[in-house]
Amino acid sequence: MPRLTLREAISEALREEMQRDPNVFIMGEEVGEWGGTYAVTKGFLEEFGERRVRDTPISEMVIAGAATGAAMAGLRPVAEFMTINFAFVAFDAIVNHAAKVSHMFNGEIKAPVVFRAPGGGGKQLGATHSHTPDVIFAHFPGLKVVSPATPYDAKGLMKAAIRDDAPVMFIEPVPLYTSPRVRDDVPDGDYIVPIGVSDIKREGRDVTIVTYGEGLHTALDAANQLAKEGIEAEIIDLRSLQPLDLSKALASFKKTFKCVVVEFGHGTYGIGAEVAAQLQEKGFDYLDAPIKRVAQAQAPAPYAGALEKSALPNAEKVIAAVKEIL
Amino acid sequence: MEKATLLEWYRQMVLIRRFEERCDELYQLEGKIKGFLHLYIGQEAVAVGSIGARESGDHVITAYRDHGHALTVGSDPGRVLAELMGKATGVTGGRGGSMHLVDTERTFWGGYGIVGAHLSLAVGLALAEDYKGTDRVCLVYFGDGSTNIGYYHESLNLAKVWNLPVIFILENNKYGMGTSVERASAETDLLKKGMAYNMPGRRVDGMNVIEVYEATTAAIDAARKGEGPQFLEMQTYRYEGHSIGDRTRYRPQGELDQWRDEKDPIATLQAVLLNDYDVTEDELLAIQNEVMAEVDAAAKFADESPDPALDSLYDHIYPGVIGEVN
């Protein structure tokens, strides 16, 4: 099996879906001639032509809205935001239109659109270009929100997203795109990773770490170091934030009685808040210690490298959180 | 024009007027309609003349003042009124309400409540037809107020850049809610605001159904031939307030009377029928009586219809999914 980076895996999924289904097409800023700002769609224009690989003006509202309209009329658009930060400009089209039409029109209209959104910080891009706002999109019923942490999952989830009849926000952690350490065995050809199913990425008996996206690799680093001290962490990768599958996290928590949530977005009102709330509601009798959250500091992302780094989760912070409750 | 066609348009315009008057009563006197209610009285010729120009399969999408468009495409008045009364038999089962009527069988993609947003959806509907290689077009309706929002500019721009078959139909009724065009738009000649995006435009007497029909027919023909988006400014007037409860204090005294007494679309067509087509007063009276009976029957149907089942709350949040997801 070829070993692919996250970026290569997403690219492969897009290419195979476009080969499989003539209704799948790509639109967004710099997706064609440029080949994608992060080169995910490099070579697509040559392979599929201008009809199916469509460069747009810098117009996020109509990118999201027109993709939604085309989906309503039966196509399978993959609309790319250059980065998730620009999706804020299109917020109304995403949450008030794509996410609403199915329910608001009583099932008479569906909008099977995929919004691709590279996200994440740590690249010294300043406050407005460094968001991990995933949880905002997961707040709204009607939208599915997916964020893969491994190339295997990324390919299978992208295929699932394109074939899903619901609108899907597909959030790609940029810091993982080309990272050699997240290189993965990715099968050639077709397979699906279902949306809304979490995954145990590491087994352990002492503490449950719930995370997704970039957080998975921070959690794995922490777990490897903790293992040297005889502490075995079980790591649950949520993979989807909406629908949110906490069945594996709850089962793990009932075994370890302790939980740390790791997320790269801000902690306040974050994923960790939701996970902690649900675990205590459904597993109060198993609670041995406070559920801890490791998240981005509640400050806008600064430009200066060390300063920005200090605001983000890392293995040391995860280890400290684990030790606090053991 | 065929006499039969004009009589049918007469019937449609009278139906809209009587329907809207009944809605006003059901809201203000009987309290059976709640929420927002935007009446189309005064603007009937725009929907009737332009939708009369489309072929079956051409798309129609509009803003929140959508009852006239729904009735003109042929939606059942009983189901539309049931929707306004929040009943299970409504066109969206009581989910959408007045602003969100829909009838996909007649390629009417809905009313939309967020000003300007549906222009982007219209671009997507037209994109889908262009992509599939059909010659269908999309008629999109919007008010003068929406020419000041970002969606408008992004949508007209992209429609032209991609040469899509969109007929942009501006219903210029002079006020965005209570703010006149003069107070809201730096360019008060709104035809220029359409033609700024390098598409053919035409100013039309929106109170004259025949002129509306002829202008729309020409625009549709051009778009169908691949000449790209077209812009029509329909000069019209809304007799009632923006929504129920608006006492229209912002209107200069005498303005409404002038439009209603001199340019009323139903009276205008009535004069044509009586003077040029040998139609008798009795024939028109018969149509009016028929329409009254239809509206009575619609009101009875709506009133006697059941409320939506409370356990349907979660249905269709995701397409095809009945019940709660997580």
Side-chain angles (χ1 to χ4, degrees):
Chain A
M1 258 186 291
R3 290 183 68 75
L4 301 184
T5 62
L6 191 88
R7 180 172 76 181
E8 290 164 345
I10 292 169
S11 185
E12 190 166 286
L14 290 170
R15 179 177 281 110
E16 287 177 12
E17 286 304 289
M18 288 182 75
Q19 289 163 346
R20 181 188 64 80
D21 181 353
N23 283 334
V24 177
F25 72 99
I26 290 172
M27 59 184 279
E29 295 157 10
E30 310 295 358
V31 296
E33 275 191 33
W34 191 290
T37 312
Y38 291 101
V40 173
T41 53
K42 198 170 169 210
F44 278 48
L45 179 63
E46 292 72 17
E47 184 174 350
F48 298 105
E50 282 183 352
R51 178 171 156 271
R52 300 185 68 194
V53 183
R54 307 181 76 105
D55 280 322
T56 67
I58 304 167
S59 303
E60 281 82 9
M61 296 169 87
V62 75
I63 291 170
T68 300
M72 286 161 52
L75 300 185
R76 296 265 161 182
V78 178
E80 178 180 324
F81 295 114
M82 189 179 285
T83 81
I84 199 165
N85 308 283
F86 310 155
F88 297 168
V89 179
F91 201 60
D92 174 72
I94 300 167
V95 307
N96 240 350
H97 291 85
K100 294 288 187 288
V101 291
S102 178
H103 187 263
M104 192 168 77
F105 294 122
N106 206 22
E108 195 163 323
I109 296 180
K110 62 182 180 186
V113 53
V114 176
F115 300 113
R116 282 190 52 225
K123 297 277 187 189
Q124 287 193 259
L125 300 177
T128 61
H129 283 59
S130 303
H131 287 285
T132 304
D134 315 352
V135 67
I136 295 174
F137 297 98
H139 183 67
F140 297 97
L143 192 63
K144 293 188 177 181
V145 180
V146 173
S147 189
T150 70
Y152 177 90
D153 286 347
K155 181 175 173 183
L157 283 166
M158 176 58 85
K159 284 171 169 270
I162 288 171
R163 298 177 198 184
D164 203 298
D165 279 347
V168 180
M169 192 80 185
F170 196 92
I171 302 171
E172 303 167 12
V174 172
L176 307 183
Y177 262 156
T178 56
S179 166
R181 59 164 303 194
V182 302
R183 226 172 244 280
D184 205 359
D185 291 332
V186 177
D188 279 326
D190 206 33
Y191 69 94
I192 289 284
V193 172
I195 294 172
V197 180
S198 60
D199 188 40
I200 302 169
K201 286 293 197 296
R202 185 186 195 281
E203 292 189 358
R205 59 177 186 269
D206 298 318
V207 62
T208 300
I209 301 179
V210 180
T211 188
Y212 74 98
E214 197 179 355
L216 172 65
H217 303 280
T218 304
L220 285 167
D221 282 347
N224 289 338
Q225 291 181 48
L226 286 165
K228 291 175 192 158
E229 302 176 37
I231 301 165
E232 294 298 337
E234 184 146 288
I235 300 178
I236 312 297
D237 178 2
L238 295 172
R239 300 198 290 200
S240 306
L241 301 178
Q242 177 78 270
L244 179 61
D245 167 28
L246 285 181
S247 62
K248 294 189 180 74
L250 183 63
S252 176
F253 178 64
K254 287 182 175 176
K255 182 172 73 175
T256 66
F257 315 121
K258 295 165 203 78
C259 180
V260 173
V261 186
V262 182
E263 63 187 306
F264 271 69
H266 299 298
T268 306
Y269 305 108
I271 311 292
E274 180 63 29
V275 171
Q278 290 203 34
L279 288 186
Q280 63 87 16
E281 279 168 1
K282 294 167 185 165
F284 188 72
D285 292 343
Y286 299 85
L287 196 62
D288 256 11
I291 295 171
K292 301 294 288 182
R293 290 177 288 170
V294 178
Q296 185 183 153
Q298 201 67 19
Y303 162 68
L307 195 58
E308 183 184 24
K309 227 173 174 180
S310 77
L312 294 173
N314 58 34
E316 289 65 44
K317 292 180 188 180
V318 176
I319 290 166
V322 167
K323 288 187 171 173
E324 224 180 293
I325 55 171
L326 275 185
Chain B
M1 298 297 313
E2 295 278 336
K3 179 170 144 185
T5 305
L6 294 183
L7 285 172
E8 171 58 14
W9 289 349
Y10 181 80
R11 190 194 67 79
Q12 289 176 356
M13 289 201 289
V14 172
L15 172 62
I16 294 170
R17 178 109 9 136
R18 297 288 100 81
F19 183 92
E20 297 290 60
E21 287 166 354
R22 180 63 60 89
C23 288
D24 198 7
E25 289 168 13
L26 286 166
Y27 197 109
Q28 305 214 63
L29 302 181
E30 299 184 40
K32 288 180 176 167
I33 299 176
K34 306 283 186 185
F36 293 133
L37 183 68
H38 309 95
L39 301 178
Y40 200 60
I41 296 175
Q43 300 180 216
E44 295 92 343
V46 178
V48 170
S50 57
I51 291 171
R54 75 161 180 164
E55 301 284 333
S56 156
D58 288 336
H59 302 290
V60 171
I61 186 167
T62 188
Y64 47 79
R65 197 176 304 284
D66 59 349
H67 307 173
H69 307 78
L71 294 175
T72 306
V73 300
S75 294
D76 173 45
R79 291 196 63 207
V80 174
L81 199 47
E83 184 60 38
L84 305 192
M85 289 166 65
K87 298 299 184 76
T89 55
V91 293
T92 69
R95 291 198 189 304
S98 163
M99 300 193 292
H100 307 115
L101 304 174
V102 72
D103 193 339
T104 52
E105 252 179 62
R106 296 175 173 84
T107 53
F108 171 49
W109 294 92
Y112 290 84
I114 301 293
V115 171
H118 67 291
L119 275 79
S120 68
L121 301 177
V123 171
L125 294 169
L127 167 61
E129 298 306 334
D130 184 66
Y131 187 94
K132 295 176 200 162
T134 76
D135 66 354
R136 288 177 179 173
V137 306
C138 179
L139 309 185
V140 56
Y141 300 81
F142 51 98
D144 43 277
S146 61
T147 67
N148 301 313
I149 199 164
Y151 269 126
Y152 169 86
H153 298 275
E154 293 193 10
S155 298
L156 268 73
N157 184 61
L158 187 63
K160 183 62 190 180
V161 167
W162 284 355
N163 201 48
L164 298 175
V166 186
I167 318 299
F168 290 100
I169 300 176
L170 164 60
E171 300 197 52
N172 182 359
N173 64 19
K174 308 198 178 310
Y175 297 93
M177 213 166 154
T179 305
S180 67
V181 170
E182 289 70 26
R183 293 172 62 216
S185 183
E187 174 56 79
T188 55
D189 180 343
L190 299 186
L191 183 58
K192 282 191 192 163
K193 275 177 105 171
M195 296 178 72
Y197 290 97
N198 202 20
M199 62 183 77
R202 189 166 152 191
R203 180 167 291 135
V204 183
D205 178 358
M207 307 300 271
N208 184 319
V209 69
I210 298 170
E211 285 188 32
V212 170
Y213 169 80
E214 288 170 349
T216 311
T217 300
I220 289 174
D221 286 349
R224 222 188 280 292
K225 275 190 281 180
E227 293 173 17
Q230 312 285 318
F231 190 90
L232 298 171
E233 182 199 349
M234 302 291 182
Q235 295 200 307
T236 184
Y237 201 75
R238 110 170 108 69
Y239 295 179
E240 302 299 318
H242 163 72
S243 182
I244 300 295
D246 168 12
R247 296 188 191 172
T248 68
R249 290 189 177 121
Y250 45 85
R251 294 211 260 235
Q253 214 167 6
E255 187 180 80
L256 169 61
D257 292 339
Q258 203 178 354
W259 280 87
R260 196 167 43 194
D261 297 346
E262 294 171 16
K263 300 200 51 103
D264 183 77
I266 296 174
T268 301
L269 180 59
Q270 192 163 315
V272 171
L273 286 165
L274 292 173
N275 298 335
D276 305 341
Y277 286 84
D278 295 330
V279 174
T280 64
E281 297 265 7
D282 283 349
E283 280 177 84
L284 297 181
L285 197 62
I287 292 175
Q288 289 175 25
N289 289 337
E290 240 171 72
V291 165
M292 277 311 286
E294 195 179 359
V295 172
D296 286 343
K300 185 167 186 290
F301 169 80
D303 201 35
E304 290 173 355
S305 287
D307 291 330
L310 294 184
D311 65 2
S312 72
L313 178 63
Y314 296 99
D315 296 351
H316 305 298
I317 292 174
Y318 297 101
V321 179
I322 299 299
E324 208 170 351
V325 170
N326 60 342

